[in-house]
Amino acid sequence: MSIRENIAEIRRRIDEAARETGRTGADITLVGASKMNDAAACREAIAAGIDVLGENRVQELVQKSGEDAYRGAPVHFIGHLQTNKVRQVVGHVDLIQSADRWNLLEALEKEAARQGICQKVLLEVNIAGEESKSGFSPESLWEVLEGFGGFSHLQVHGLMAIPPVSTRPGENLQFFSEMRNLFVDISRKKY
């Protein structure tokens, strides 16, 4: 299948799933991970109607930006971000989806302040407490949000988690439910 055909099929499945929950496909943002794809493939995905391109490697973000790969679509950074590479990401992406530790938040704030911008982030939550994954624990999230008040150049746009891989359909739904409950609690407290 071509990129255009793949995106059309994914859109069809999104629309179908959305209707089952009383929504429409327009309510869903399709983020295409462009990992290991060249600039031409990124441009093809944008032409085919992808909403957002997600990049998980700083080197690829820098290279593809120089090749004008992302024109016409927002870019999200979706990978693990090292603090020494913050300068190459802040201000070059619309959203950082993987803000997973306090020292990274501090580095993001410092760089965004240096550039005079407000960088949008998602706080990554290690919802299942897996040793192999990064992210804030659900219990530490409140302290993180309290400390966030000291940042004037970062804006939390939500939460992100990667639940454990499921071998049976629905096996990991509890983690999505826990994430939703965290989001609702945070919203009620006006964070």
Side-chain angles (χ1 to χ4, degrees), residues 11 14-15 18 23-29 51:
R11 288 268 185 222
I14 287 172
D15 286 339
R23 296 164 52 185
T24 71
D27 297 331
I28 314 293
T29 300
D51 295 320

Side-chain angles (χ1 to χ4, degrees), residues 39-40 50 136 165 174-175:
I50 198 85
F136 298 103
V165 175
Q174 75 180 62
F175 300 110

Side-chain angles (χ1 to χ4, degrees), residues 55-58 76-81 89 95-98:
E55 201 61 72
N56 74 327
R57 293 188 174 148
V58 174
H76 291 185
F77 190 79
I78 59 175
H80 181 75
L81 181 57
V89 175
L95 179 68
I96 298 170
Q97 291 194 13
S98 51

